[in-house]
């Protein structure tokens, strides 16, 4: 569990917090195997026996004062009694995880453990769009073959297709059998027959270890639905235009009801991989994509605001059905046409899944992403609870979870892996804040309760041979992290403790929220104004504002934070975020689906990854085996002045190796597989939550546009003349004018 704060020293009181201009909060990556410093938790058992405070329900931890018969809660100060069992346990401190570390992971008893082995079998279902092309299906086939390799023994796999009909495959016999049921065309109709009556669920779900070859054979039989088939099913539209054929909404609803019947008896969590080649346009849940083509400008409407909200609550409601059925949905959209991910995204993010978007089939990393996603461990049925000491409290919470309807500051997470990150911001509970002379510093405790599926090989004891099919087992665990912070005595202490990456994370969450509620323009203004106020507060705190000839119009403003190294990168991060497609305008050619994809991606990334996605890391090499400089600004001037022949750019989703046009021809191109640069690339690819695209570009010979587009600090690099496209120097001049205006 990695926890990072925007400031490692907390503000002393509400005035100090307001006066700093900085967001106050933390990011939490609960299922990360180590903390932010690389330390692992101390593992233990009997999590249900861990003492809890009678007043605030915090868990006992190493910061609590322990007396012979009682303990003081480190969060609220309440004196709690100890049971005789706890007194006996704590007389031998080295035997208890909670006495050894403030970062612990304890096993909890699972109810009805005898019958859990069957219930724990992992279930995976692929739902494939047949209203597509041959190229799309070839990509999906190779992706699912990669997925099958990643699935362990004991997993169950189901293959379904959808178009104007739903197809269910039984691959457990000698020949794959498919049974179809037609989707009603009406937007408010459901299937006339339950899928269980079409094919029993246990015929549909095949054991991977015995049926892998037959699943592969079934995949080979997939063919796109022919246009005449779709036309005869959907009926001709006006002027002979084909109406529909992609009954995605009905297919998903039917699958959830189908799987839900075995939730808790055959499986504890089912994952549905939905592969889409375009918008749902048939039956219930069909989406009207004509809104993308509308001329908003001529109507005086903000296109960015019009295209960000969902057009129907259908998929949000369907996500609730999925959760009730124990299903987590991952959506893989492979399309460059408008698919309205603004409406579809809820099905994935609210059921604990992910949303992936690939603009074409040619260079798609879908097979690698599938393999990577299924190879890493995940937790499900999670509950995340954040508690604070009494002087402050959690404010807003951000991330792909849903709040508990009954308890405050409790979030439910359907499914998460070791990368998924959430954010919180804080408020003071009163005007007093933290006392200067108190012996009770600010405390934070995060409890994460989760379930994991433990594969058979991790359960079996050496030498034991089981004749029966390998069984998975469910383990319920409780991970707790208790942190103690210091409060800053003055503004310079506060500014010196800033973590710019975490500040960026919290800002990104806030601007995404503002964009969704009030439009992209509002999100941009919020970000711009935040930087202006921060610079004004900083200049005021350090008494830096100098007036020339007594005039405020010619005053010198320190926009570069020259007195505070921790803040110096923030103007660049804000500038880069304003230039990111997340906040660029519709008229600049930003596809609304791509914006939604970025919103979903960015709001789940941990701070260091988000930093790279917003402001890529540019490194230079003198040879493929020797790094020249670890970091450059994103400008042509930086490239020229460095004089290095090779540059490596890491933009999180894309990695680019660029050889300058003046590079010595004897330098090997592309870099050899055993060199330092390749080793660095392979390590980054390994650590990433998604598969980055890798490009090699030779300056002067290849088209360098892909690389040059990342050099965002140049003035108007695209030559588009749009007001939002300005170089970094012009941006700072604009900010300076705004600061002076603000401070008048």
């Amino acid at each position: 569990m990695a926890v990072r704060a925007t400031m490692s020293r907390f503000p002393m009181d509400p005035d100090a917090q307001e006066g700093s201009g900085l967001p106050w909060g933390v990011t939490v990556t609960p299922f990360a195997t180590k903390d932010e410093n690389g330390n692992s938790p101390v593992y233990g058992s009997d999590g249900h026996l861990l003492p809890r405070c009678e007043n605030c329900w915090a868990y006992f931890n190493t910061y609590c004062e322990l007396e012979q018969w009682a303990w003081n809660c480190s969060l609220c100060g309440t004196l709690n009694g100890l049971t005789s069992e706890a007194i006996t346990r704590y007389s031998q401190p080295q035997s208890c995880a909670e006495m050894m570390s403030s970062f612990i992971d304890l096993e909890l008893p699972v109810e009805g453990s005898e019958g859990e082995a069957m219930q724990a079998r992992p279930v995976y279902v692929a739902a494939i769009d047949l209203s597509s092309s041959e190229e799309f299906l070839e990509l999906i086939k190779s992706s699912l073959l990669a997925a099958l390799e990643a699935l362990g023994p004991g997993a169950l796999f189901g293959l379904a297709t959808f178009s104007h009909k739903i197809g269910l495959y039984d691959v457990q016999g000698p020949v794959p059998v498919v049974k179809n049921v037609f989707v009603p065309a009406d937007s408010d109709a459901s299937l006339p027959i339950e899928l269980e009556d079409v094919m029993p669920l246990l015929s549909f779900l095949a054991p991977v270890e015995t049926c892998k070859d037959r699943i592969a054979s079934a995949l080979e039989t997939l063919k796109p639905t022919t246009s005449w088939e779709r036309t005869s099913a959907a009926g001709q539209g006006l002027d002979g235009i084909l109406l529909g054929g992609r009954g995605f909404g009905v297919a998903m609803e039917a699958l959830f009801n189908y799987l839900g019947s075995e939730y808790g008896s055959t499986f504890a969590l089912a994952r549905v991989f939905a592969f889409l080649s375009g918008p749902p346009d048939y039956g219930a849940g069909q989406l009207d994509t004509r809104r993308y083509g509308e001329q908003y400008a001529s109507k005086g409407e903000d296109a960015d605001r019009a295209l960000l909200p969902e057009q129907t609550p259908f998929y949000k409601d369907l996500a609730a059905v999925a959760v009730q059925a124990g299903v987590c949905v991952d959506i893989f959209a492979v399309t460059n046409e408008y698919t309205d991910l603004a409406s579809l995204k809820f099905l994935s993010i609210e059921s604990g899944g992910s949303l992936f978007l690939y603009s074409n089939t040619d260079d798609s990393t879908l097979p690698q992403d599938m393999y990577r996603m299924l190879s890493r461990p995940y937790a499900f049925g999670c509950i995340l609870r954040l508690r604070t000491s009494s002087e402050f409290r959690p404010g807003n919470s951000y991330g792909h979870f849903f709040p508990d309807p009954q308890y405050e500051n409790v979030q439910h997470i359907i499914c998460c892996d070791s990368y998924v990150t959430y954010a919180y911001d804080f408020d003071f509970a009163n005007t007093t804040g933290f006392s200067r002379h108190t012996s009770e510093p600010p405390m934070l405790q995060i409890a994460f309760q989760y379930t994991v599926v433990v594969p058979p090989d991790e359960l079996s004891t050496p030498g034991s041979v089981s004749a029966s099919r390998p069984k998975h087992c469910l383990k319920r665990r409780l991970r707790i992290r208790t942190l103690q912070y210091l409060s800053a005595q003055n503004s310079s202490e506060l500014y010196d403790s800033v973590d710019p990456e975490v500040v960026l994370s919290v800002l990104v969450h806030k601007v995404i929220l503002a964009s969704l509620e009030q439009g992209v323009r509002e999100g941009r203004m919020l970000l711009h104004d935040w930087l202006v106020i921060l610079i004004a507060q900083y200049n005021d705190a350090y008494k830096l504002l100098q007036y020339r000839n007594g005039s405020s119009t010619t005053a010198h403003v320190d926009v570069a934070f020259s007195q505070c190294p921790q803040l110096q990168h923030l103007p660049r991060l804000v500038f880069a975020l304003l230039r990111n497609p997340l906040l660029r305008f519709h008229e600049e050619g930003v596809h609304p689906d791509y914006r939604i994809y970025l919103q979903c991606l960015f709001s789940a990334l941990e701070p260091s990854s988000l930093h790279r996605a917003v402001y890529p890391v540019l490194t230079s090499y003198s040879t493929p085996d020797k790094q020249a400089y670890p970091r450059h600004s994103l400008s042509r001037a930086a490239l020229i002045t460095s004089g290095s022949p090779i540059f490596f750019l890491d933009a999180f989703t894309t990695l680019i190796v660029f050889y300058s046009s003046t590079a010595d021809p004897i330098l090997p191109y592309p870099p050899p597989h055993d060199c330092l640069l390749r080793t660095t690339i392979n390590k980054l690819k390994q650590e990433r939550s998604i598969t980055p695209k890798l490009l090699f570009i030779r300056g002067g010979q290849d088209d360098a546009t892909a690389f040059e587009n990342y050099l965002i600090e140049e003035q108007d690099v695209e030559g588009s003349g749009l007001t939002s496209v300005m170089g970094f120097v012009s941006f700072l001049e604009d900010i300076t004018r705004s600061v002076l205006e603000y401070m008048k």
Side-chain angles (χ1 to χ4, degrees):
M1 182 188 288
V3 181
R4 291 174 63 178
T6 52
M7 305 167 266
S8 57
R9 282 179 175 265
F10 284 2
M12 182 62 74
D13 52 40
D15 291 342
Q17 203 252 314
E18 189 70 29
S20 73
L22 289 161
W24 177 28
V26 290
T27 58
V28 182
T29 313
F31 197 52
T33 51
K34 295 185 174 173
D35 69 12
E36 64 283 0
N37 300 313
N39 302 314
S40 299
V42 173
Y43 289 91
S45 56
D46 297 327
H48 61 299
L49 299 178
L50 190 62
R52 298 186 70 174
C53 175
E54 293 165 6
N55 176 45
C56 71
W57 290 98
Y59 291 92
F60 175 81
N61 58 80
T62 52
Y63 295 105
C64 297
E65 287 178 22
L66 185 64
E67 296 171 18
Q68 191 173 1
W69 312 104
W71 59 282
N72 273 80
C73 175
S74 58
L75 272 76
C76 71
T78 302
L79 184 69
N80 298 276
L82 283 170
T83 62
S84 52
E85 291 91 340
I87 292 166
T88 308
R89 280 203 317 155
Y90 294 154
S91 63
Q92 298 172 310
Q94 291 309 304
S95 65
C96 309
E98 64 268 29
M99 294 285 281
M100 296 163 65
S101 173
S102 58
F103 181 20
I104 57 174
D105 194 300
L106 308 177
E107 198 166 319
L108 293 166
V110 178
E111 291 173 24
S113 52
E114 286 305 305
E116 293 296 334
M118 182 58 186
Q119 182 182 328
R121 299 195 70 181
V123 167
Y124 303 93
V125 174
I128 303 169
D129 178 4
L130 293 187
S131 301
S132 56
S133 63
E134 291 279 3
E135 294 78 15
F136 171 84
L137 289 180
E138 283 305 315
L139 175 66
I140 304 312
K141 287 172 193 175
S142 59
S143 302
L144 287 173
L145 290 173
L148 290 172
E149 292 307 313
L151 299 181
L156 298 173
F157 182 86
L159 179 61
T161 58
F162 61 89
S163 54
H164 60 280
K165 57 188 177 184
I166 298 169
L168 302 177
Y169 283 75
D170 180 350
V171 297
Q172 296 184 66
V175 179
V177 174
V178 60
K179 292 190 176 177
N180 294 301
V181 54
F182 284 91
V183 173
D186 296 344
S187 59
D188 57 354
S190 53
L191 276 188
I193 183 171
E194 293 291 329
L195 294 186
E196 182 65 37
D197 297 329
V198 178
M199 181 181 291
L201 184 61
L202 295 179
S203 300
F204 173 69
L205 296 175
V208 172
E209 72 263 31
T210 56
C211 298
K212 195 180 285 186
D213 292 344
R214 276 172 279 182
I215 295 168
S217 303
L219 288 171
E220 285 306 317
T221 66
L222 297 181
K223 295 280 181 290
T225 317
T226 56
S227 56
W228 70 262
E229 243 192 303
R230 288 206 294 269
T231 310
S232 57
Q236 289 288 340
L238 297 168
D239 304 322
I241 297 166
L242 173 66
L243 285 183
R246 193 177 288 112
F248 177 67
V250 178
M252 288 296 108
E253 189 171 25
L255 273 176
F256 301 158
N257 292 332
Y258 189 32
L259 292 165
S261 62
E262 288 295 315
Y263 175 41
S265 54
T266 297
F267 66 89
L269 178 82
R271 294 187 74 163
V272 170
F273 307 129
F275 299 99
L276 268 173
S277 68
D281 54 8
Y282 187 71
Q286 58 186 277
L287 298 170
D288 180 4
T289 55
R290 287 174 301 182
R291 70 175 187 160
Y292 178 51
E294 289 185 12
Q295 295 302 311
Y296 292 98
S298 61
K299 293 191 215 166
E301 272 188 73
D302 180 354
D304 301 300
R305 193 170 178 178
L307 292 166
L308 281 172
E310 72 273 25
Q311 58 172 289
T312 167
F314 181 87
Y315 291 98
K316 200 168 194 170
D317 296 342
L318 197 53
V321 176
V323 170
Q324 289 300 311
V327 175
C328 158
V329 186
D330 296 292
I331 295 178
F332 301 89
V334 187
T335 176
N336 60 359
E337 65 175 304
Y338 178 59
T339 305
D340 193 14
L341 294 184
S343 297
L344 291 170
K345 68 175 182 184
F346 295 103
L347 186 55
S348 60
I349 61 175
E350 294 206 356
S351 69
S354 302
L355 177 70
F356 293 83
L357 176 65
Y358 307 92
S359 57
N360 58 57
T361 54
D362 299 338
D363 57 357
S364 167
T365 54
L366 177 54
Q368 297 92 321
D369 283 338
M370 290 268 337
Y371 184 83
R372 192 171 292 230
M373 186 172 79
L374 293 172
S375 300
R376 55 180 178 248
Y378 59 87
F380 60 93
C382 318
I383 303 169
L384 185 62
R385 174 74 199 248
L386 186 133
R387 289 183 177 86
T388 61
S389 47
S390 50
E391 305 87 354
F392 69 114
R393 59 180 175 228
N396 296 310
S397 50
Y398 309 94
H400 300 163
F401 46 50
F402 61 95
D404 188 277
Q406 192 176 353
Y407 299 104
E408 250 190 322
N409 306 317
V410 176
Q411 277 80 31
H412 292 265
I413 300 161
I414 308 303
C415 183
C416 83
D417 61 28
S418 55
Y419 294 96
V420 179
T421 301
Y422 308 92
Y424 296 86
D425 54 26
F426 299 132
D427 300 315
F428 278 98
N430 53 47
T431 52
T432 316
F434 304 112
S435 168
R436 244 167 235 283
H437 310 293
T438 183
S439 58
E440 297 162 3
M443 298 292 300
L444 182 64
Q445 187 176 79
I446 299 151
F448 180 60
Q449 204 177 111
Y450 64 99
T451 300
V452 283
V453 174
V454 182
D457 52 351
E458 289 181 30
L459 292 168
S460 56
T461 50
S464 69
V465 180
S466 171
S468 63
R469 171 186 280 164
K471 289 185 175 179
H472 289 65
C473 178
L474 289 185
K475 294 268 189 226
R476 189 76 177 157
R477 303 194 69 92
L478 174 63
R479 185 173 289 185
I480 300 169
R481 182 94 192 272
T482 310
L483 299 110
Q484 187 180 79
Y485 291 92
L486 296 170
S487 50
Q489 300 298 312
N490 52 52
S491 48
S492 59
E493 269 191 10
L494 196 62
Y495 286 140
D496 286 340
S497 74
V498 166
D499 184 334
E501 290 185 338
V502 187
V503 170
L504 175 69
S505 281
V506 175
L507 284 178
V508 164
H509 281 294
K510 286 179 184 289
V511 297
I512 287 174
L513 214 57
S515 302
L516 288 170
E517 289 174 359
Q518 297 163 290
V520 172
R521 204 170 298 276
E522 192 62 36
R524 291 179 65 86
M525 282 167 58
L526 174 85
L527 194 59
H528 179 277
D529 293 351
W530 173 80
L531 183 62
V532 167
I533 293 166
L534 174 67
I535 290 171
Q537 308 282 47
Y538 156 81
N539 275 271
D540 189 47
Y542 281 85
K543 308 285 185 283
L544 295 172
L545 203 61
Q546 298 166 3
Y547 295 95
R548 294 177 192 150
N549 309 324
S551 165
S552 65
T553 52
T554 55
H556 172 71
V557 179
D558 180 6
V559 289
F561 296 106
S562 54
Q563 303 284 314
C564 184
Q566 291 305 106
L567 300 179
Q568 285 170 9
H569 201 46
L570 285 174
R572 270 195 165 86
L573 291 179
V574 170
F575 169 74
L577 192 49
L578 289 167
R579 291 291 305 270
N580 192 279
L582 184 77
L583 289 177
R584 295 279 281 274
F585 293 124
H586 180 65
E587 60 262 30
E588 291 178 63
V590 177
H591 197 292
D593 283 340
Y594 184 57
R595 194 194 305 280
I596 294 291
Y597 162 70
L598 287 182
Q599 286 183 354
C600 294
L601 176 69
F602 285 9
S603 53
L605 287 181
E606 55 84 34
S608 300
S609 298
L610 182 60
H611 183 185
R612 282 174 150 77
V614 170
Y615 192 95
V617 175
L618 182 63
T619 314
S620 60
Y621 285 76
S622 44
T623 72
D625 261 315
K626 189 180 179 190
Q627 191 185 84
Y629 194 71
R631 191 144 206 160
H632 296 275
S633 60
L634 299 174
S635 66
R636 285 198 187 89
L639 266 65
I640 295 162
T641 53
S642 82
S644 299
I646 304 170
F647 294 89
F648 172 53
L649 183 125
D650 176 4
F652 188 73
T653 54
T654 309
L655 305 175
I656 301 176
V657 175
F658 178 77
Y659 277 56
S660 79
S661 53
T662 56
D664 192 326
I666 64 165
L667 285 172
Y669 176 88
H673 283 280
D674 56 350
C675 69
L676 172 67
L677 179 51
R678 283 279 195 175
T679 309
T680 305
I681 290 168
N682 291 338
K683 186 170 182 288
L684 287 170
K685 286 171 81 172
Q686 212 78 50
E687 294 167 350
R688 229 38 36 127
S689 55
I690 59 168
T691 312
K693 282 183 191 169
L694 177 59
L695 305 176
F696 294 98
I697 299 174
R698 229 178 169 153
Q701 294 181 34
D702 306 329
D703 179 7
T705 312
F707 178 68
E708 289 168 355
N709 283 346
Y710 285 106
L711 303 178
I712 55 172
E713 294 195 16
E714 296 298 325
Q715 177 76 37
D716 194 11
V717 284
E718 290 145 23
S720 57
L722 285 155
T723 51
S724 67
V725 182
M726 61 165 78
F728 185 56
V729 175
S730 309
F731 170 73
L732 290 181
E733 289 167 359
D734 173 63
I735 291 291
T736 304
R737 285 191 292 273
S738 300
V739 171
L740 289 170
E741 191 65 34
Y742 175 77
M743 296 185 83
K744 270 185 185 175

